[in-house]
Amino acid sequence: MNYNGLKVARVQRTLFENVFKCHLVDENNEPRAIVRVVPAIPTKMIDPSRVPEDAPDEAPFLLVIVDDADINKDNVISFEESATYALLNRFSREDFDFQHCQFYYPSPAFYFDQPDMEVEPQMFEPPMM
C-alpha cells in the first residue's frame, strides 16, 4: 500500500490534556490510519516561572501513537513520511513549528513476528557507566 498524499481529515480532543485523536485519509478520502498525537511543547513556550533555570532548550515535536493502520515492514517508512508531513502541517503554528514526529506502535511483535523477516532483532545493550 502506498501512503503518499495522506492528509488529516479530522482532529478530535480527548479526555486527556493535550492529546488529540487524528483520522488520516489518502487522496481519495479513504481512511488509512487513526493516531493519537501528543504535542511536546518546549520549555521556552511555557510560563518561565514553571521552568527550572537549568532546563535545556528543546525543539517542539509530535509524539504519534499509531492506534490503527494497515502497515507492515514494507510500507512503514512510506506511512511515517506521509503522516509526518500531514501532521506537521496540521499542528504547526505561527509562533513555532514542530520539528519532527516520533512514532510509537502498540507492540514490537508487529515487526518481529513477520515470517519473511530477514534480519534477526537485536537487543539494545546500554553503555556501561
Side-chain angles (χ1 to χ4, degrees):
M1 175 173 291
N2 186 354
Y3 281 100
N4 293 335
L6 285 182
K7 59 185 176 184
V8 179
R10 185 169 58 192
V11 176
Q12 300 169 302
R13 290 192 177 272
T14 66
L15 296 177
F16 299 98
E17 184 176 350
N18 213 24
V19 177
F20 302 90
K21 183 177 182 179
C22 298
H23 296 255
L24 301 176
V25 297
D26 63 13
E27 54 261 330
N28 299 324
N29 286 326
E30 293 292 324
R32 292 294 172 220
I34 297 174
V35 299
R36 282 178 285 154
V37 177
V38 183
I41 308 296
T43 56
K44 63 185 173 186
M45 302 303 292
I46 298 173
D47 178 15
S49 66
R50 296 177 47 199
V51 179
E53 290 180 19
D54 60 347
D57 283 338
E58 296 290 336
F61 68 93
L62 297 175
L63 172 66
V64 181
I65 302 167
V66 179
D67 288 330
D68 185 21
D70 182 19
I71 53 178
N72 58 44
K73 65 180 180 54
D74 297 323
N75 64 10
V76 68
I77 293 173
S78 172
F79 169 76
E80 287 188 5
E81 287 177 343
S82 191
T84 294
Y85 182 76
L87 291 168
L88 290 178
N89 282 335
R90 173 60 178 84
F91 281 89
S92 291
R93 301 183 347 196
E94 253 184 50
D95 52 344
F96 69 92
D97 290 326
F98 289 98
Q99 301 297 309
H100 65 278
C101 293
Q102 291 183 1
F103 287 85
Y104 289 87
Y105 298 90
S107 169
F110 169 80
Y111 292 106
F112 301 141
D113 288 343
Q114 305 270 340
D116 60 340
M117 186 171 176
E118 297 175 11
V119 179
E120 289 294 317
Q122 302 292 316
M123 296 301 294
F124 173 72
E125 293 289 331
M128 299 300 286
M129 294 289 176

